[in-house]
Amino acid sequence: VGPENASQPESVRLFVAVHVPPDELERIERETEHLRSSLGGARWMQRSNQHVTLKFLGRSPVDRVSAIQEVVEIVARSHEPGECRLTQLGAFPTTRRARVLWVGLDDPMSLLPALAGDLDRALEPLGFPAEARPFHPHLTLARFKVPERVEEHLVALTEPGRSFAVTGIDLMRSHLHPRGARYESLRRFPLGRGDLTGRVD
Ligand code: 2AM
């Protein structure tokens, strides 16, 4: 973990996320191709930047990163892998005045809210305030500087999504640039592996 910039050399911007397999991201891109011309004000996320955020930490001192990693590892180990599927399109805060266009997830075991809730609680003692808003698992596709009416455009995706395994969570760093952020996985933590009291590896 290196310095972010000269004015704030000792902090990094962090979040914890789940990644979606590239073929599913390609499918969503194909299925939303027509929206790129109809939604003129949208800034589309590159596929390499797409993810499902579980917990946003924001700025953190670099010397906190190893303590954060320990907490994320414990949470990851305490949940077994699960299956999710990308489903319908939606928008925040509303489809009439959208700022964020996203694709939602079907998560039959409620793994994502369970992970998000545990991360929220476990990271609070390290100084990261618990999330006040309800958790809505989503993968951001595009953002709007000026809120845009998108409701007429959000027809159902036609191809059925493939269910995919969620086997790990990533501690992510965001690098802010004038032309958009770039996200980097600092470390992936596998889910499960059972026994939390006796590490064998
Ligand atoms: P979004 O996709 O819903 O915009 C990196 O910025 C990731 O952290 C993004 O996926 C973004 O979620 C999320 N994020 C950014 N700022 C946030 C905030 N203040 N609260 C919660 N999540 C945030």
Side-chain angles (χ1 to χ4, degrees):
V1 176
E4 173 88 338
N5 59 44
S7 59
Q8 286 179 306
E10 302 292 350
S11 74
V12 284
R13 197 177 145 92
L14 301 172
F15 61 101
V16 181
V18 162
H19 283 93
V20 170
D23 59 334
E24 276 299 283
L25 298 182
E26 280 166 30
R27 177 181 69 82
I28 296 294
E29 189 168 300
R30 267 198 316 276
E31 295 230 6
T32 54
E33 192 66 55
H34 63 287
L35 294 177
R36 285 166 195 260
S37 47
S38 47
L39 299 176
R43 283 183 300 126
W44 293 86
M45 303 283 291
Q46 288 180 9
R47 280 211 302 270
S48 58
N49 262 356
Q50 292 175 353
H51 56 263
V52 181
T53 298
L54 295 173
K55 171 73 182 171
F56 180 74
L57 288 85
R59 285 219 162 268
S60 165
V62 171
D63 60 13
R64 274 292 166 93
V65 171
S66 63
I68 293 166
Q69 288 189 344
E70 280 175 31
V71 166
V72 177
E73 179 170 23
I74 289 168
V75 171
R77 282 172 177 261
S78 71
H79 291 269
E80 293 305 315
E83 296 272 319
C84 287
R85 203 165 54 86
L86 293 173
T87 53
Q88 80 292 352
L89 296 175
F92 291 145
T94 68
T95 54
R96 285 167 167 269
R97 289 181 58 78
R99 297 206 76 108
V100 174
L101 175 71
W102 46 258
V103 54
L105 292 103
D106 181 27
D107 172 14
M109 304 297 284
S110 298
L111 172 62
L112 303 178
L115 285 166
D118 279 3
L119 288 166
D120 219 32
R121 281 184 287 277
L123 288 163
E124 206 176 358
L126 292 185
F128 299 100
E131 182 56 63
R133 298 174 302 180
F135 176 67
H136 288 293
H138 65 276
L139 183 138
T140 294
L141 295 176
R143 297 178 205 281
F144 302 88
K145 274 217 172 85
V146 179
E148 196 159 320
R149 184 184 176 101
V150 300
E151 53 190 347
E152 294 84 358
H153 300 285
L154 299 194
V155 290
L157 299 172
T158 52
E159 289 179 43
R162 174 175 73 79
S163 136
F164 59 89
V166 177
T167 58
I169 60 179
D170 287 54
L171 179 63
M172 303 290 294
R173 175 176 177 186
S174 75
H175 300 266
L176 298 181
H177 296 295
R179 275 183 292 142
R182 180 176 66 79
Y183 305 133
E184 170 196 17
S185 173
L186 294 179
R187 198 166 141 195
R188 172 159 301 174
F189 300 91
L191 297 186
R193 300 201 185 164
D195 184 10
L196 290 173
T197 52
R199 286 179 62 157
V200 290
D201 54 339

mmCIF file with all atom_site columns, all heavy atoms in Angstrom, residues 82-101:
data_model
loop_
_atom_site.group_PDB
_atom_site.id
_atom_site.type_symbol
_atom_site.label_atom_id
_atom_site.label_alt_id
_atom_site.label_comp_id
_atom_site.label_asym_id
_atom_site.label_entity_id
_atom_site.label_seq_id
_atom_site.pdbx_PDB_ins_code
_atom_site.Cartn_x
_atom_site.Cartn_y
_atom_site.Cartn_z
_atom_site.occupancy
_atom_site.B_iso_or_equiv
_atom_site.pdbx_formal_charge
_atom_site.auth_seq_id
_atom_site.auth_comp_id
_atom_site.auth_asym_id
_atom_site.auth_atom_id
_atom_site.pdbx_PDB_model_num
ATOM 1   N N   . GLY A 1 82  ? -21.678 -19.214 -1.076  1.00 0.00 ? 82  GLY A N   1
ATOM 2   C CA  . GLY A 1 82  ? -23.087 -19.307 -1.489  1.00 0.00 ? 82  GLY A CA  1
ATOM 3   C C   . GLY A 1 82  ? -23.218 -19.031 -2.971  1.00 0.00 ? 82  GLY A C   1
ATOM 4   O O   . GLY A 1 82  ? -22.232 -18.796 -3.674  1.00 0.00 ? 82  GLY A O   1
ATOM 5   N N   . GLU A 1 83  ? -24.465 -19.068 -3.441  1.00 0.00 ? 83  GLU A N   1
ATOM 6   C CA  . GLU A 1 83  ? -24.755 -18.839 -4.862  1.00 0.00 ? 83  GLU A CA  1
ATOM 7   C C   . GLU A 1 83  ? -25.581 -17.569 -5.015  1.00 0.00 ? 83  GLU A C   1
ATOM 8   O O   . GLU A 1 83  ? -26.508 -17.336 -4.231  1.00 0.00 ? 83  GLU A O   1
ATOM 9   C CB  . GLU A 1 83  ? -25.603 -19.993 -5.412  1.00 0.00 ? 83  GLU A CB  1
ATOM 10  C CG  . GLU A 1 83  ? -24.929 -21.351 -5.400  1.00 0.00 ? 83  GLU A CG  1
ATOM 11  C CD  . GLU A 1 83  ? -24.123 -21.582 -6.669  1.00 0.00 ? 83  GLU A CD  1
ATOM 12  O OE1 . GLU A 1 83  ? -24.623 -21.210 -7.752  1.00 0.00 ? 83  GLU A OE1 1
ATOM 13  O OE2 . GLU A 1 83  ? -23.014 -22.126 -6.561  1.00 0.00 ? 83  GLU A OE2 1
ATOM 14  N N   . CYS A 1 84  ? -25.259 -16.774 -6.024  1.00 0.00 ? 84  CYS A N   1
ATOM 15  C CA  . CYS A 1 84  ? -26.044 -15.574 -6.341  1.00 0.00 ? 84  CYS A CA  1
ATOM 16  C C   . CYS A 1 84  ? -26.289 -15.533 -7.840  1.00 0.00 ? 84  CYS A C   1
ATOM 17  O O   . CYS A 1 84  ? -25.648 -16.250 -8.602  1.00 0.00 ? 84  CYS A O   1
ATOM 18  C CB  . CYS A 1 84  ? -25.299 -14.303 -5.927  1.00 0.00 ? 84  CYS A CB  1
ATOM 19  S SG  . CYS A 1 84  ? -25.264 -14.026 -4.158  1.00 0.00 ? 84  CYS A SG  1
ATOM 20  N N   . ARG A 1 85  ? -27.176 -14.659 -8.250  1.00 0.00 ? 85  ARG A N   1
ATOM 21  C CA  . ARG A 1 85  ? -27.510 -14.506 -9.665  1.00 0.00 ? 85  ARG A CA  1
ATOM 22  C C   . ARG A 1 85  ? -27.864 -13.054 -9.910  1.00 0.00 ? 85  ARG A C   1
ATOM 23  O O   . ARG A 1 85  ? -28.595 -12.457 -9.108  1.00 0.00 ? 85  ARG A O   1
ATOM 24  C CB  . ARG A 1 85  ? -28.729 -15.395 -9.975  1.00 0.00 ? 85  ARG A CB  1
ATOM 25  C CG  . ARG A 1 85  ? -28.898 -15.808 -11.411 1.00 0.00 ? 85  ARG A CG  1
ATOM 26  C CD  . ARG A 1 85  ? -29.915 -16.965 -11.488 1.00 0.00 ? 85  ARG A CD  1
ATOM 27  N NE  . ARG A 1 85  ? -31.168 -16.629 -10.838 1.00 0.00 ? 85  ARG A NE  1
ATOM 28  C CZ  . ARG A 1 85  ? -32.172 -15.983 -11.419 1.00 0.00 ? 85  ARG A CZ  1
ATOM 29  N NH1 . ARG A 1 85  ? -32.071 -15.610 -12.688 1.00 0.00 ? 85  ARG A NH1 1
ATOM 30  N NH2 . ARG A 1 85  ? -33.282 -15.718 -10.767 1.00 0.00 ? 85  ARG A NH2 1
ATOM 31  N N   . LEU A 1 86  ? -27.347 -12.488 -10.988 1.00 0.00 ? 86  LEU A N   1
ATOM 32  C CA  . LEU A 1 86  ? -27.734 -11.117 -11.352 1.00 0.00 ? 86  LEU A CA  1
ATOM 33  C C   . LEU A 1 86  ? -29.139 -11.158 -11.930 1.00 0.00 ? 86  LEU A C   1
ATOM 34  O O   . LEU A 1 86  ? -29.454 -12.048 -12.724 1.00 0.00 ? 86  LEU A O   1
ATOM 35  C CB  . LEU A 1 86  ? -26.761 -10.542 -12.385 1.00 0.00 ? 86  LEU A CB  1
ATOM 36  C CG  . LEU A 1 86  ? -25.332 -10.289 -11.887 1.00 0.00 ? 86  LEU A CG  1
ATOM 37  C CD1 . LEU A 1 86  ? -24.438 -9.891  -13.056 1.00 0.00 ? 86  LEU A CD1 1
ATOM 38  C CD2 . LEU A 1 86  ? -25.293 -9.223  -10.804 1.00 0.00 ? 86  LEU A CD2 1
ATOM 39  N N   . THR A 1 87  ? -29.974 -10.198 -11.531 1.00 0.00 ? 87  THR A N   1
ATOM 40  C CA  . THR A 1 87  ? -31.373 -10.261 -11.969 1.00 0.00 ? 87  THR A CA  1
ATOM 41  C C   . THR A 1 87  ? -31.811 -8.981  -12.673 1.00 0.00 ? 87  THR A C   1
ATOM 42  O O   . THR A 1 87  ? -31.408 -8.725  -13.792 1.00 0.00 ? 87  THR A O   1
ATOM 43  C CB  . THR A 1 87  ? -32.295 -10.581 -10.774 1.00 0.00 ? 87  THR A CB  1
ATOM 44  O OG1 . THR A 1 87  ? -32.024 -9.635  -9.747  1.00 0.00 ? 87  THR A OG1 1
ATOM 45  C CG2 . THR A 1 87  ? -32.099 -11.992 -10.274 1.00 0.00 ? 87  THR A CG2 1
ATOM 46  N N   . GLN A 1 88  ? -32.586 -8.168  -11.990 1.00 0.00 ? 88  GLN A N   1
ATOM 47  C CA  . GLN A 1 88  ? -33.264 -7.054  -12.669 1.00 0.00 ? 88  GLN A CA  1
ATOM 48  C C   . GLN A 1 88  ? -32.488 -5.737  -12.581 1.00 0.00 ? 88  GLN A C   1
ATOM 49  O O   . GLN A 1 88  ? -31.640 -5.559  -11.726 1.00 0.00 ? 88  GLN A O   1
ATOM 50  C CB  . GLN A 1 88  ? -34.663 -6.873  -12.072 1.00 0.00 ? 88  GLN A CB  1
ATOM 51  C CG  . GLN A 1 88  ? -34.711 -6.117  -10.756 1.00 0.00 ? 88  GLN A CG  1
ATOM 52  C CD  . GLN A 1 88  ? -34.094 -6.860  -9.578  1.00 0.00 ? 88  GLN A CD  1
ATOM 53  O OE1 . GLN A 1 88  ? -33.739 -8.026  -9.678  1.00 0.00 ? 88  GLN A OE1 1
ATOM 54  N NE2 . GLN A 1 88  ? -33.962 -6.165  -8.458  1.00 0.00 ? 88  GLN A NE2 1
ATOM 55  N N   . LEU A 1 89  ? -32.827 -4.834  -13.494 1.00 0.00 ? 89  LEU A N   1
ATOM 56  C CA  . LEU A 1 89  ? -32.251 -3.489  -13.438 1.00 0.00 ? 89  LEU A CA  1
ATOM 57  C C   . LEU A 1 89  ? -33.042 -2.631  -12.465 1.00 0.00 ? 89  LEU A C   1
ATOM 58  O O   . LEU A 1 89  ? -34.243 -2.828  -12.279 1.00 0.00 ? 89  LEU A O   1
ATOM 59  C CB  . LEU A 1 89  ? -32.306 -2.839  -14.828 1.00 0.00 ? 89  LEU A CB  1
ATOM 60  C CG  . LEU A 1 89  ? -31.490 -3.502  -15.934 1.00 0.00 ? 89  LEU A CG  1
ATOM 61  C CD1 . LEU A 1 89  ? -31.756 -2.803  -17.263 1.00 0.00 ? 89  LEU A CD1 1
ATOM 62  C CD2 . LEU A 1 89  ? -30.002 -3.470  -15.612 1.00 0.00 ? 89  LEU A CD2 1
ATOM 63  N N   . GLY A 1 90  ? -32.378 -1.675  -11.862 1.00 0.00 ? 90  GLY A N   1
ATOM 64  C CA  . GLY A 1 90  ? -33.038 -0.741  -10.953 1.00 0.00 ? 90  GLY A CA  1
ATOM 65  C C   . GLY A 1 90  ? -32.234 0.542   -10.872 1.00 0.00 ? 90  GLY A C   1
ATOM 66  O O   . GLY A 1 90  ? -31.188 0.684   -11.537 1.00 0.00 ? 90  GLY A O   1
ATOM 67  N N   . ALA A 1 91  ? -32.717 1.490   -10.089 1.00 0.00 ? 91  ALA A N   1
ATOM 68  C CA  . ALA A 1 91  ? -32.034 2.780   -9.991  1.00 0.00 ? 91  ALA A CA  1
ATOM 69  C C   . ALA A 1 91  ? -32.159 3.346   -8.581  1.00 0.00 ? 91  ALA A C   1
ATOM 70  O O   . ALA A 1 91  ? -33.178 3.147   -7.911  1.00 0.00 ? 91  ALA A O   1
ATOM 71  C CB  . ALA A 1 91  ? -32.609 3.764   -11.005 1.00 0.00 ? 91  ALA A CB  1
ATOM 72  N N   . PHE A 1 92  ? -31.131 4.062   -8.154  1.00 0.00 ? 92  PHE A N   1
ATOM 73  C CA  . PHE A 1 92  ? -31.149 4.835   -6.908  1.00 0.00 ? 92  PHE A CA  1
ATOM 74  C C   . PHE A 1 92  ? -31.171 6.311   -7.258  1.00 0.00 ? 92  PHE A C   1
ATOM 75  O O   . PHE A 1 92  ? -30.474 6.698   -8.216  1.00 0.00 ? 92  PHE A O   1
ATOM 76  C CB  . PHE A 1 92  ? -29.875 4.587   -6.087  1.00 0.00 ? 92  PHE A CB  1
ATOM 77  C CG  . PHE A 1 92  ? -29.733 3.244   -5.487  1.00 0.00 ? 92  PHE A CG  1
ATOM 78  C CD1 . PHE A 1 92  ? -28.476 2.666   -5.394  1.00 0.00 ? 92  PHE A CD1 1
ATOM 79  C CD2 . PHE A 1 92  ? -30.822 2.549   -4.971  1.00 0.00 ? 92  PHE A CD2 1
ATOM 80  C CE1 . PHE A 1 92  ? -28.306 1.431   -4.806  1.00 0.00 ? 92  PHE A CE1 1
ATOM 81  C CE2 . PHE A 1 92  ? -30.655 1.300   -4.390  1.00 0.00 ? 92  PHE A CE2 1
ATOM 82  C CZ  . PHE A 1 92  ? -29.393 0.744   -4.309  1.00 0.00 ? 92  PHE A CZ  1
ATOM 83  N N   . PRO A 1 93  ? -31.849 7.184   -6.522  1.00 0.00 ? 93  PRO A N   1
ATOM 84  C CA  . PRO A 1 93  ? -32.778 6.821   -5.446  1.00 0.00 ? 93  PRO A CA  1
ATOM 85  C C   . PRO A 1 93  ? -34.127 6.330   -5.984  1.00 0.00 ? 93  PRO A C   1
ATOM 86  O O   . PRO A 1 93  ? -34.786 5.553   -5.313  1.00 0.00 ? 93  PRO A O   1
ATOM 87  C CB  . PRO A 1 93  ? -32.945 8.123   -4.663  1.00 0.00 ? 93  PRO A CB  1
ATOM 88  C CG  . PRO A 1 93  ? -32.664 9.203   -5.649  1.00 0.00 ? 93  PRO A CG  1
ATOM 89  C CD  . PRO A 1 93  ? -31.665 8.640   -6.633  1.00 0.00 ? 93  PRO A CD  1
ATOM 90  N N   . THR A 1 94  ? -34.503 6.768   -7.191  1.00 0.00 ? 94  THR A N   1
ATOM 91  C CA  . THR A 1 94  ? -35.747 6.279   -7.800  1.00 0.00 ? 94  THR A CA  1
ATOM 92  C C   . THR A 1 94  ? -35.539 6.219   -9.317  1.00 0.00 ? 94  THR A C   1
ATOM 93  O O   . THR A 1 94  ? -34.627 6.864   -9.853  1.00 0.00 ? 94  THR A O   1
ATOM 94  C CB  . THR A 1 94  ? -36.946 7.237   -7.556  1.00 0.00 ? 94  THR A CB  1
ATOM 95  O OG1 . THR A 1 94  ? -36.709 8.445   -8.300  1.00 0.00 ? 94  THR A OG1 1
ATOM 96  C CG2 . THR A 1 94  ? -37.133 7.563   -6.097  1.00 0.00 ? 94  THR A CG2 1
ATOM 97  N N   . THR A 1 95  ? -36.398 5.468   -10.002 1.00 0.00 ? 95  THR A N   1
ATOM 98  C CA  . THR A 1 95  ? -36.270 5.356   -11.462 1.00 0.00 ? 95  THR A CA  1
ATOM 99  C C   . THR A 1 95  ? -36.735 6.631   -12.164 1.00 0.00 ? 95  THR A C   1
ATOM 100 O O   . THR A 1 95  ? -36.498 6.817   -13.345 1.00 0.00 ? 95  THR A O   1
ATOM 101 C CB  . THR A 1 95  ? -37.083 4.161   -11.997 1.00 0.00 ? 95  THR A CB  1
ATOM 102 O OG1 . THR A 1 95  ? -38.429 4.292   -11.543 1.00 0.00 ? 95  THR A OG1 1
ATOM 103 C CG2 . THR A 1 95  ? -36.510 2.846   -11.539 1.00 0.00 ? 95  THR A CG2 1
ATOM 104 N N   . ARG A 1 96  ? -37.419 7.537   -11.436 1.00 0.00 ? 96  ARG A N   1
ATOM 105 C CA  . ARG A 1 96  ? -37.824 8.818   -12.044 1.00 0.00 ? 96  ARG A CA  1
ATOM 106 C C   . ARG A 1 96  ? -36.700 9.833   -12.019 1.00 0.00 ? 96  ARG A C   1
ATOM 107 O O   . ARG A 1 96  ? -36.645 10.722  -12.859 1.00 0.00 ? 96  ARG A O   1
ATOM 108 C CB  . ARG A 1 96  ? -39.022 9.405   -11.282 1.00 0.00 ? 96  ARG A CB  1
ATOM 109 C CG  . ARG A 1 96  ? -40.311 8.704   -11.589 1.00 0.00 ? 96  ARG A CG  1
ATOM 110 C CD  . ARG A 1 96  ? -41.380 9.114   -10.582 1.00 0.00 ? 96  ARG A CD  1
ATOM 111 N NE  . ARG A 1 96  ? -42.675 8.679   -11.074 1.00 0.00 ? 96  ARG A NE  1
ATOM 112 C CZ  . ARG A 1 96  ? -43.454 9.431   -11.825 1.00 0.00 ? 96  ARG A CZ  1
ATOM 113 N NH1 . ARG A 1 96  ? -43.092 10.654  -12.145 1.00 0.00 ? 96  ARG A NH1 1
ATOM 114 N NH2 . ARG A 1 96  ? -44.601 8.973   -12.244 1.00 0.00 ? 96  ARG A NH2 1
ATOM 115 N N   . ARG A 1 97  ? -35.862 9.742   -11.000 1.00 0.00 ? 97  ARG A N   1
ATOM 116 C CA  . ARG A 1 97  ? -34.736 10.680  -10.877 1.00 0.00 ? 97  ARG A CA  1
ATOM 117 C C   . ARG A 1 97  ? -33.493 9.881   -10.516 1.00 0.00 ? 97  ARG A C   1
ATOM 118 O O   . ARG A 1 97  ? -32.973 9.968   -9.395  1.00 0.00 ? 97  ARG A O   1
ATOM 119 C CB  . ARG A 1 97  ? -35.026 11.732  -9.791  1.00 0.00 ? 97  ARG A CB  1
ATOM 120 C CG  . ARG A 1 97  ? -36.095 12.739  -10.201 1.00 0.00 ? 97  ARG A CG  1
ATOM 121 C CD  . ARG A 1 97  ? -36.329 13.767  -9.104  1.00 0.00 ? 97  ARG A CD  1
ATOM 122 N NE  . ARG A 1 97  ? -35.118 14.504  -8.758  1.00 0.00 ? 97  ARG A NE  1
ATOM 123 C CZ  . ARG A 1 97  ? -34.616 15.500  -9.487  1.00 0.00 ? 97  ARG A CZ  1
ATOM 124 N NH1 . ARG A 1 97  ? -35.204 15.870  -10.605 1.00 0.00 ? 97  ARG A NH1 1
ATOM 125 N NH2 . ARG A 1 97  ? -33.520 16.119  -9.102  1.00 0.00 ? 97  ARG A NH2 1
ATOM 126 N N   . ALA A 1 98  ? -33.018 9.111   -11.477 1.00 0.00 ? 98  ALA A N   1
ATOM 127 C CA  . ALA A 1 98  ? -31.930 8.174   -11.183 1.00 0.00 ? 98  ALA A CA  1
ATOM 128 C C   . ALA A 1 98  ? -30.583 8.879   -11.105 1.00 0.00 ? 98  ALA A C   1
ATOM 129 O O   . ALA A 1 98  ? -30.259 9.721   -11.945 1.00 0.00 ? 98  ALA A O   1
ATOM 130 C CB  . ALA A 1 98  ? -31.876 7.099   -12.266 1.00 0.00 ? 98  ALA A CB  1
ATOM 131 N N   . ARG A 1 99  ? -29.827 8.529   -10.116 1.00 0.00 ? 99  ARG A N   1
ATOM 132 C CA  . ARG A 1 99  ? -28.414 8.938   -10.049 1.00 0.00 ? 99  ARG A CA  1
ATOM 133 C C   . ARG A 1 99  ? -27.499 7.746   -10.301 1.00 0.00 ? 99  ARG A C   1
ATOM 134 O O   . ARG A 1 99  ? -26.350 7.899   -10.707 1.00 0.00 ? 99  ARG A O   1
ATOM 135 C CB  . ARG A 1 99  ? -28.091 9.538   -8.682  1.00 0.00 ? 99  ARG A CB  1
ATOM 136 C CG  . ARG A 1 99  ? -28.866 10.807  -8.383  1.00 0.00 ? 99  ARG A CG  1
ATOM 137 C CD  . ARG A 1 99  ? -28.129 11.675  -7.410  1.00 0.00 ? 99  ARG A CD  1
ATOM 138 N NE  . ARG A 1 99  ? -27.029 12.343  -8.066  1.00 0.00 ? 99  ARG A NE  1
ATOM 139 C CZ  . ARG A 1 99  ? -27.021 13.647  -8.344  1.00 0.00 ? 99  ARG A CZ  1
ATOM 140 N NH1 . ARG A 1 99  ? -28.025 14.404  -8.006  1.00 0.00 ? 99  ARG A NH1 1
ATOM 141 N NH2 . ARG A 1 99  ? -25.986 14.178  -8.949  1.00 0.00 ? 99  ARG A NH2 1
ATOM 142 N N   . VAL A 1 100 ? -28.023 6.557   -9.963  1.00 0.00 ? 100 VAL A N   1
ATOM 143 C CA  . VAL A 1 100 ? -27.245 5.328   -10.139 1.00 0.00 ? 100 VAL A CA  1
ATOM 144 C C   . VAL A 1 100 ? -28.138 4.290   -10.812 1.00 0.00 ? 100 VAL A C   1
ATOM 145 O O   . VAL A 1 100 ? -29.267 4.065   -10.372 1.00 0.00 ? 100 VAL A O   1
ATOM 146 C CB  . VAL A 1 100 ? -26.764 4.784   -8.762  1.00 0.00 ? 100 VAL A CB  1
ATOM 147 C CG1 . VAL A 1 100 ? -26.079 3.435   -8.915  1.00 0.00 ? 100 VAL A CG1 1
ATOM 148 C CG2 . VAL A 1 100 ? -25.844 5.773   -8.073  1.00 0.00 ? 100 VAL A CG2 1
ATOM 149 N N   . LEU A 1 101 ? -27.627 3.700   -11.879 1.00 0.00 ? 101 LEU A N   1
ATOM 150 C CA  . LEU A 1 101 ? -28.324 2.585   -12.547 1.00 0.00 ? 101 LEU A CA  1
ATOM 151 C C   . LEU A 1 101 ? -27.604 1.306   -12.162 1.00 0.00 ? 101 LEU A C   1
ATOM 152 O O   . LEU A 1 101 ? -26.376 1.238   -12.248 1.00 0.00 ? 101 LEU A O   1
ATOM 153 C CB  . LEU A 1 101 ? -28.262 2.787   -14.065 1.00 0.00 ? 101 LEU A CB  1
ATOM 154 C CG  . LEU A 1 101 ? -28.832 1.651   -14.921 1.00 0.00 ? 101 LEU A CG  1
ATOM 155 C CD1 . LEU A 1 101 ? -30.355 1.604   -14.811 1.00 0.00 ? 101 LEU A CD1 1
ATOM 156 C CD2 . LEU A 1 101 ? -28.404 1.823   -16.381 1.00 0.00 ? 101 LEU A CD2 1
#
